[in-house]
Amino acid sequence: MKIRLAGHAGFCMGVRKALELVLKEAEKGERIYTYGPIIHNPQVLQLLEGKGIGVLKEDESSPRGTVVIRAHGAAPEVFAELEEKGLRVVDGTCPKVRLVQRLVNKNVSMGRDVVILGEPQHPEVIGLVGHGKGRPFVIQGPEEIQKLPPLKEPIFLAQTTQERDRFLKTREALEKLYPGLKTYDTICSATKERQEEAKEIARKVDLVLVVGGRESGNTKRLLDVAKGENPNSYQVETDGEIDPSWFVNVKSVGITAGASTPNWMIIRVLRRLEEIQQRYESFFIRTVRHLLRFVFFTGILSSLALFSLAMGIMGLQGDNRYLRFPATSALLFLSLIIIARYVDKESMNYNDPSMYGFLMRFRRVVLVMGVSSFVLGTWLAHKYLGVWELVLSLLMALAVMGYSFQKSFGLSKIFSFPGLRTLGEAFIFMFLSGPFLHRNSWIQDPFSQLFPTLLCATFAITKSLFQDILRFQGDLLMGERSLSVTFDTERLLRWTFVISGLQMIITVGLILTGNIYGFPLLLASFAFLFCLLGYKLKLILIGSRLEMLAELSFVLIIYTLWLQDWFLNKISWTW
Ligand code: SF4
């Protein structure tokens, strides 16, 4: 069964900004209310409630604190009423909705009649009518035009999430009555793209799943759009609503989601489809899939990625292929990942529920693995590298523990620097795969270590940045000050592309100067770039699969290096 995920599925800019605003306000320690649910997802609302963020109830007696107006916006009277109640009002209205509010207000003030295509009870429409001093007319389609009184210099616009076809048909019908009709296409570009894409996908697949809350108007319209092209379309709020009987004789499934659907709900739906698909898979494919999930969820794949990079860097420097050195680094790294994953499990629950479920289920096994790899790693560091490396291993473990248990140790202030987790992870990955294993070379000829270390740094930072981008939504909800939360994912993705480009330039430069051992690294760079492009163009399904592929691209280094050595038959591999 082929699965096609819409590129524009999930949070839109407006919802995301409003959510960021609410979480930022919550950091101030006051009771925070939202004027209506900020997104239509009970799980998120529960989590927000745990952070002191609740939905303001109409009958709330003497509320105190701050109220955030959500992306839909609200009428000016609402702002005044809330302030009268003694609440501090923070405006989280989406900038695009705010533009429409101004447009309505301006035209009403000029004495024109404003006709809005929208749902009369939708909060955004109620807000727009309020900005038009209660004078705009709301219709739901061309069939309601007859209800309108004679209009004076009418202008026509739409609720930002309206269906485009309906907008065009209504405009056409209105223009027949009012040839001089002034129209503003106020349907948000995110909505247009989402609907266009849903249409296109629905045409090409056997079945469409629209993921999103039943209260969400834009999800309902997305379903209408999909149904218009493919009657075999269903709306699901959660993965639990998917009925396996829908998929009999279905060869391709398209997935799209409303503007307020969190990523992890889409991931859950994807996992559910995978489960259904597994029933038809061969034993071999199922085993490979389980094995890959095991090595990825436990962190073995990450440490294998480090092992591979460390071997690649050793290869670049013409060293013999001693496996014991990268193995030491990989074991230490594995133990550090396991600590970090357990401590970070809450945000993981939102980013990748299947990884969370796995770690909770096999908690003991993975913890034993973490402790054993740390003991073995430090022992190897002492035996093969020296006392300094042993001390450094202990210091790294202490730093990770300090960061992971910052709240319990009262160290939150020290570790509150934005992006510290990403940069720290990148630093440890870089350090363990390069400088940690080459102390003597650093002392004897530091210049010779510059390019290899720079390469390690580019690999480590791109890997961490990409992970950070993929974990954005969970981090945002958990209040983690990661780089993606601080700088936004688009900017971070651009940086990742730039650093990957730099990495390729260095590798090509090394190859051109005669170092053929740059090839394995170059191949890994290309594979990683493929993952980045896959993410950017939404060609690869989101979630842990993408992170897994990114880590697998590192593993290519060791495979290619081994192949190269075997072919040239010059350097032998030894423990
Ligand atoms: S759908 Fe568009 S207008 Fe509505 S909140 Fe999202 S970005 Fe803003």
Side-chain angles (χ1 to χ4, degrees):
M1 190 162 68
K2 269 194 188 156
I3 300 172
R4 203 173 148 191
L5 176 67
H8 295 94
F11 283 177
C12 66
M13 173 274 287
V15 170
R16 195 182 120 170
K17 272 189 182 304
L19 193 57
E20 279 172 10
L21 187 65
V22 168
L23 290 162
K24 208 171 255 176
E25 288 298 325
E27 281 177 13
K28 295 179 184 163
E30 277 183 343
R31 171 70 175 155
I32 306 288
Y33 296 98
T34 57
Y35 189 69
I38 192 117
I39 61 172
H40 302 288
N41 182 282
Q43 211 186 359
V44 178
L45 295 180
Q46 210 179 340
L47 177 95
L48 294 178
E49 192 56 62
K51 288 175 177 282
I53 304 165
V55 178
L56 184 68
K57 297 190 185 86
E58 274 187 27
D59 55 355
E60 188 105 20
S61 59
S62 52
R64 283 283 160 270
T66 300
V67 59
V68 179
I69 304 294
R70 57 188 169 164
H72 295 314
E77 309 84 71
V78 172
F79 283 74
E81 262 171 43
L82 294 170
E83 273 165 357
E84 248 171 53
K85 282 185 181 169
L87 287 159
R88 187 170 71 91
V89 184
V90 175
D91 191 3
T93 309
C94 169
K96 294 182 183 180
V97 175
R98 207 174 289 142
L99 276 179
V100 190
Q101 290 172 344
R102 284 196 197 123
L103 201 62
V104 170
N105 185 273
K106 189 177 130 198
N107 281 282
V108 167
S109 306
M110 288 163 80
R112 291 181 176 143
D113 280 329
V114 175
V115 180
I116 301 172
L117 175 73
E119 294 149 81
Q121 295 314 317
H122 191 281
E124 181 189 322
V125 177
I126 296 173
L128 290 178
V129 173
H131 279 267
K133 301 175 183 114
R135 297 218 286 269
F137 300 97
V138 182
I139 54 170
Q140 300 198 58
E143 62 284 353
E144 292 189 3
I145 288 179
Q146 301 92 312
K147 290 185 197 164
L148 294 171
L151 301 172
K152 185 184 157 209
E153 290 184 67
I155 74 147
F156 176 58
L157 48 84
Q159 178 188 343
T160 54
T161 50
Q162 274 298 305
E163 197 189 322
R164 190 152 177 74
D165 284 351
R166 182 163 279 267
F167 175 73
L168 295 177
K169 278 182 196 146
T170 315
R171 183 182 71 180
E172 203 184 309
L174 262 176
E175 271 173 346
K176 280 187 190 147
L177 290 175
Y178 301 96
L181 179 79
K182 208 165 179 186
T183 303
Y184 293 96
D185 183 353
T186 49
I187 299 177
C188 152
S189 55
T191 308
K192 276 182 216 156
E193 284 159 4
R194 203 178 289 257
Q195 291 178 355
E196 286 307 315
E197 202 184 14
K199 249 189 214 174
E200 194 213 318
I201 291 179
R203 258 182 244 131
K204 292 181 181 163
V205 296
D206 298 332
L207 184 142
V208 183
L209 290 178
V210 181
V211 191
R214 302 210 193 285
E215 299 297 311
S216 157
N218 76 80
T219 309
K220 270 187 233 156
R221 274 183 294 281
L222 212 51
L223 178 70
D224 291 343
V225 167
K227 271 208 163 136
E229 299 294 330
N230 186 337
N232 207 11
S233 302
Y234 301 89
Q235 180 181 356
V236 288
E237 230 175 32
T238 66
D239 49 327
E241 293 177 10
I242 297 174
D243 181 349
S245 69
W246 296 344
F247 301 91
V248 177
N249 296 328
V250 164
K251 292 201 169 55
S252 53
V253 179
I255 301 176
T256 182
S260 58
T261 307
N263 257 0
W264 68 85
M265 193 45 78
I266 304 171
I267 294 173
R268 278 180 190 224
V269 167
L270 284 168
R271 294 288 162 269
R272 178 80 182 115
L273 289 186
E274 274 176 12
E275 275 169 32
I276 294 171
Q277 200 173 357
Q278 271 174 29
R279 298 176 188 184
Y280 309 101
E281 272 175 359
S282 68
F283 174 74
F284 176 72
I285 299 280
R286 234 186 2 252
T287 312
V288 171
R289 189 195 285 275
H290 284 310
L291 198 70
L292 267 176
R293 275 164 71 114
F294 177 80
V295 293
F296 176 67
F297 288 168
T298 49
I300 293 176
L301 190 59
S302 278
S303 56
L304 210 60
L306 185 139
F307 180 84
S308 192
L309 178 63
M311 281 300 285
I313 296 296
M314 277 170 64
L316 205 60
Q317 300 185 68
D319 295 347
N320 282 327
R321 312 289 189 255
Y322 291 117
L323 298 172
R324 57 180 181 257
F325 299 122
T328 307
S329 288
L331 282 166
L332 287 170
F333 191 62
L334 178 61
S335 61
L336 301 180
I337 294 177
I338 291 175
I339 301 173
R341 285 208 172 154
Y342 270 106
V343 178
D344 205 20
K345 59 183 182 302
E346 290 308 323
S347 64
M348 188 189 298
N349 188 19
Y350 291 99
N351 283 322
D352 196 333
S354 48
M355 187 191 274
Y356 174 80
F358 175 91
L359 288 179
M360 288 299 100
R361 205 163 139 213
F362 298 104
R363 190 173 20 212
R364 289 215 179 93
V365 178
V366 182
L367 282 175
V368 168
M369 235 172 75
V371 174
S372 330
S373 55
F374 182 69
V375 173
L376 197 58
T378 44
W379 178 72
L380 288 175
H382 184 229
K383 183 171 161 67
Y384 294 121
L385 293 162
V387 176
W388 276 110
E389 283 74 7
L390 173 68
V391 174
L392 285 170
S393 315
L394 295 173
L395 284 177
M396 273 186 282
L398 269 180
V400 173
M401 299 275 273
Y403 181 80
S404 304
F405 297 102
Q406 50 181 285
K407 283 196 186 118
S408 327
F409 295 160
L411 299 172
S412 300
K413 278 216 168 116
I414 302 175
F415 290 110
S416 64
F417 184 71
L420 189 67
R421 186 194 68 191
T422 323
L423 298 174
E425 268 178 22
F427 177 78
I428 290 179
F429 194 88
M430 179 278 292
F431 185 66
L432 283 174
S433 56
F436 182 72
L437 303 174
H438 302 276
R439 178 163 51 100
N440 288 338
S441 309
W442 269 99
I443 295 168
Q444 286 155 16
D445 184 8
F447 186 72
S448 69
Q449 293 302 305
L450 281 183
F451 279 111
T453 307
L454 193 59
L455 265 180
C456 279
T458 57
F459 273 103
I461 193 87
T462 47
K463 179 180 177 296
S464 293
L465 288 180
F466 192 42
Q467 258 173 9
D468 207 323
I469 293 168
L470 296 177
R471 293 176 192 167
F472 166 74
Q473 285 197 2
D475 287 343
L476 176 67
L477 282 168
M478 295 312 298
E480 176 69 56
R481 300 186 75 193
S482 63
L483 283 181
S484 55
V485 173
T486 315
F487 294 106
D488 96 55
T489 48
E490 279 302 312
R491 197 183 304 179
L492 225 55
L493 192 63
R494 278 200 296 277
W495 293 353
T496 317
F497 271 112
V498 170
I499 300 170
S500 282
L502 180 71
Q503 183 183 88
M504 283 183 170
I505 293 171
I506 299 173
T507 324
V508 170
L510 286 169
I511 295 170
L512 290 178
T513 53
N515 194 335
I516 56 162
Y517 291 105
F519 276 117
L521 295 163
L522 187 62
L523 196 68
S525 299
F526 271 115
F528 187 80
L529 193 67
F530 167 77
C531 296
L532 285 182
L533 285 171
Y535 171 81
K536 173 90 186 139
L537 305 173
K538 309 270 177 185
L539 296 175
I540 309 173
L541 297 181
I542 52 171
S544 49
R545 268 197 198 183
L546 200 49
E547 208 173 321
M548 196 193 292
L549 273 180
E551 291 186 342
L552 277 172
S553 69
F554 280 65
V555 181
L556 267 183
I557 301 173
I558 195 162
Y559 178 67
T560 328
L561 185 67
W562 174 79
L563 216 60
Q564 209 173 1
D565 283 344
W566 174 77
F567 188 72
L568 297 173
N569 201 16
K570 269 200 216 152
I571 306 175
S572 57
W573 290 41
T574 171
W575 170 249

Short mmCIF file of all heavy atoms in Angstrom, two decimals, residues 11-15 71-72 94-97 124 160-161 186-191 194 218 259, ligand 1:
data_model
loop_
_atom_site.label_atom_id
_atom_site.label_comp_id
_atom_site.label_asym_id
_atom_site.label_seq_id
_atom_site.Cartn_x
_atom_site.Cartn_y
_atom_site.Cartn_z
N PHE A 11 -0.06 21.96 11.40
CA PHE A 11 -0.14 23.35 11.87
C PHE A 11 0.16 24.38 10.78
O PHE A 11 1.18 24.28 10.09
CB PHE A 11 0.89 23.59 12.97
CG PHE A 11 0.52 23.03 14.31
CD1 PHE A 11 1.41 23.13 15.38
CD2 PHE A 11 -0.69 22.40 14.52
CE1 PHE A 11 1.09 22.62 16.62
CE2 PHE A 11 -1.02 21.89 15.76
CZ PHE A 11 -0.12 22.00 16.81
N CYS A 12 -0.69 25.40 10.69
CA CYS A 12 -0.37 26.51 9.79
C CYS A 12 0.37 27.57 10.60
O CYS A 12 0.46 27.47 11.83
CB CYS A 12 -1.65 27.09 9.20
SG CYS A 12 -2.66 27.87 10.46
N MET A 13 0.86 28.59 9.90
CA MET A 13 1.65 29.63 10.57
C MET A 13 0.87 30.29 11.71
O MET A 13 1.40 30.52 12.79
CB MET A 13 2.06 30.65 9.50
CG MET A 13 2.75 31.89 9.96
SD MET A 13 1.63 33.21 10.45
CE MET A 13 0.99 33.77 8.88
N GLY A 14 -0.43 30.59 11.46
CA GLY A 14 -1.22 31.31 12.46
C GLY A 14 -1.39 30.51 13.74
O GLY A 14 -1.23 31.03 14.85
N VAL A 15 -1.70 29.22 13.60
CA VAL A 15 -1.92 28.37 14.77
C VAL A 15 -0.61 28.23 15.54
O VAL A 15 -0.56 28.30 16.77
CB VAL A 15 -2.46 26.98 14.32
CG1 VAL A 15 -2.47 26.01 15.47
CG2 VAL A 15 -3.85 27.13 13.74
N ALA A 71 -5.72 32.38 17.16
CA ALA A 71 -5.47 32.80 15.77
C ALA A 71 -6.72 33.30 15.05
O ALA A 71 -6.64 34.17 14.18
CB ALA A 71 -4.88 31.62 14.99
N HIS A 72 -7.91 32.80 15.43
CA HIS A 72 -9.15 33.22 14.77
C HIS A 72 -9.45 34.70 14.98
O HIS A 72 -10.24 35.29 14.25
CB HIS A 72 -10.35 32.46 15.35
CG HIS A 72 -10.32 31.00 15.11
ND1 HIS A 72 -10.03 30.47 13.89
CD2 HIS A 72 -10.58 29.94 15.92
CE1 HIS A 72 -10.12 29.14 13.96
NE2 HIS A 72 -10.43 28.80 15.19
N CYS A 94 -4.04 35.72 14.11
CA CYS A 94 -3.14 35.47 12.98
C CYS A 94 -3.02 36.75 12.16
O CYS A 94 -4.03 37.43 11.89
CB CYS A 94 -3.73 34.35 12.13
SG CYS A 94 -2.89 34.16 10.56
N PRO A 95 -1.80 37.12 11.73
CA PRO A 95 -1.64 38.37 10.96
C PRO A 95 -2.54 38.42 9.72
O PRO A 95 -3.00 39.49 9.33
CB PRO A 95 -0.17 38.35 10.56
CG PRO A 95 0.49 37.35 11.44
CD PRO A 95 -0.55 36.42 11.96
N LYS A 96 -2.80 37.26 9.13
CA LYS A 96 -3.63 37.25 7.91
C LYS A 96 -5.09 37.55 8.26
O LYS A 96 -5.78 38.23 7.52
CB LYS A 96 -3.53 35.90 7.21
CG LYS A 96 -2.13 35.63 6.69
CD LYS A 96 -2.07 34.32 5.96
CE LYS A 96 -0.66 34.03 5.51
NZ LYS A 96 -0.54 32.78 4.79
N VAL A 97 -5.53 37.04 9.40
CA VAL A 97 -6.91 37.32 9.83
C VAL A 97 -7.02 38.80 10.20
O VAL A 97 -8.01 39.46 9.89
CB VAL A 97 -7.30 36.42 11.03
CG1 VAL A 97 -8.67 36.79 11.57
CG2 VAL A 97 -7.26 34.95 10.65
N GLU A 124 -13.89 33.06 13.83
CA GLU A 124 -13.24 34.07 12.97
C GLU A 124 -14.30 34.99 12.35
O GLU A 124 -14.13 36.21 12.30
CB GLU A 124 -12.45 33.37 11.86
CG GLU A 124 -11.73 34.36 10.95
CD GLU A 124 -11.11 33.71 9.72
OE1 GLU A 124 -10.59 32.59 9.83
OE2 GLU A 124 -11.17 34.33 8.65
N THR A 160 -11.05 33.12 6.11
CA THR A 160 -9.75 32.72 5.52
C THR A 160 -9.63 31.24 5.17
O THR A 160 -8.78 30.87 4.38
CB THR A 160 -8.60 33.07 6.49
OG1 THR A 160 -8.88 32.47 7.74
CG2 THR A 160 -8.40 34.55 6.64
N THR A 161 -10.50 30.41 5.76
CA THR A 161 -10.36 28.98 5.50
C THR A 161 -11.49 28.44 4.62
O THR A 161 -11.77 27.25 4.63
CB THR A 161 -10.31 28.19 6.82
OG1 THR A 161 -11.42 28.61 7.62
CG2 THR A 161 -9.03 28.42 7.58
N THR A 186 -9.73 36.74 0.20
CA THR A 186 -9.08 36.70 1.52
C THR A 186 -8.83 35.28 2.01
O THR A 186 -8.51 35.07 3.18
CB THR A 186 -9.95 37.45 2.55
OG1 THR A 186 -11.28 36.97 2.42
CG2 THR A 186 -9.90 38.94 2.35
N ILE A 187 -9.03 34.30 1.11
CA ILE A 187 -8.74 32.92 1.54
C ILE A 187 -7.22 32.83 1.71
O ILE A 187 -6.46 33.23 0.82
CB ILE A 187 -9.25 31.89 0.51
CG1 ILE A 187 -10.77 32.03 0.37
CG2 ILE A 187 -8.89 30.47 0.95
CD1 ILE A 187 -11.38 31.13 -0.67
N CYS A 188 -6.82 32.34 2.85
CA CYS A 188 -5.39 32.31 3.18
C CYS A 188 -4.64 31.38 2.22
O CYS A 188 -5.17 30.34 1.83
CB CYS A 188 -5.29 31.86 4.63
SG CYS A 188 -3.82 31.02 5.05
N SER A 189 -3.41 31.78 1.86
CA SER A 189 -2.66 30.97 0.89
C SER A 189 -2.43 29.55 1.43
O SER A 189 -2.45 28.58 0.68
CB SER A 189 -1.33 31.64 0.57
OG SER A 189 -0.63 31.88 1.76
N ALA A 190 -2.26 29.44 2.77
CA ALA A 190 -2.04 28.11 3.35
C ALA A 190 -3.26 27.24 3.11
O ALA A 190 -3.15 26.06 2.79
CB ALA A 190 -1.77 28.23 4.85
N THR A 191 -4.45 27.85 3.21
CA THR A 191 -5.69 27.09 2.99
C THR A 191 -5.80 26.69 1.53
O THR A 191 -6.14 25.55 1.21
CB THR A 191 -6.91 27.97 3.38
OG1 THR A 191 -6.70 28.45 4.69
CG2 THR A 191 -8.20 27.21 3.30
N ARG A 194 -3.37 23.95 0.73
CA ARG A 194 -3.81 22.72 1.39
C ARG A 194 -4.96 22.08 0.60
O ARG A 194 -4.98 20.89 0.35
CB ARG A 194 -4.30 23.09 2.80
CG ARG A 194 -4.28 21.99 3.80
CD ARG A 194 -4.74 22.56 5.12
NE ARG A 194 -3.74 23.44 5.70
CZ ARG A 194 -2.94 23.11 6.69
NH1 ARG A 194 -3.04 21.93 7.22
NH2 ARG A 194 -2.05 23.94 7.16
N ASN A 218 -11.86 24.12 9.15
CA ASN A 218 -11.03 23.94 7.96
C ASN A 218 -10.81 22.46 7.65
O ASN A 218 -10.66 22.08 6.50
CB ASN A 218 -9.72 24.73 8.08
CG ASN A 218 -8.72 24.10 9.00
OD1 ASN A 218 -8.03 23.17 8.61
ND2 ASN A 218 -8.65 24.57 10.24
N ALA A 259 -5.45 22.61 9.68
CA ALA A 259 -4.42 23.56 10.10
C ALA A 259 -4.09 23.48 11.59
O ALA A 259 -3.08 24.01 12.04
CB ALA A 259 -4.88 24.97 9.76
S1 SF4 B 1 -5.34 29.19 8.11
FE1 SF4 B 1 -4.22 30.97 7.38
S2 SF4 B 1 -5.36 32.70 8.14
FE2 SF4 B 1 -6.08 30.95 9.30
S3 SF4 B 1 -4.79 30.93 11.10
FE3 SF4 B 1 -3.78 29.63 9.62
S4 SF4 B 1 -2.33 30.99 8.56
FE4 SF4 B 1 -3.80 32.28 9.64
#
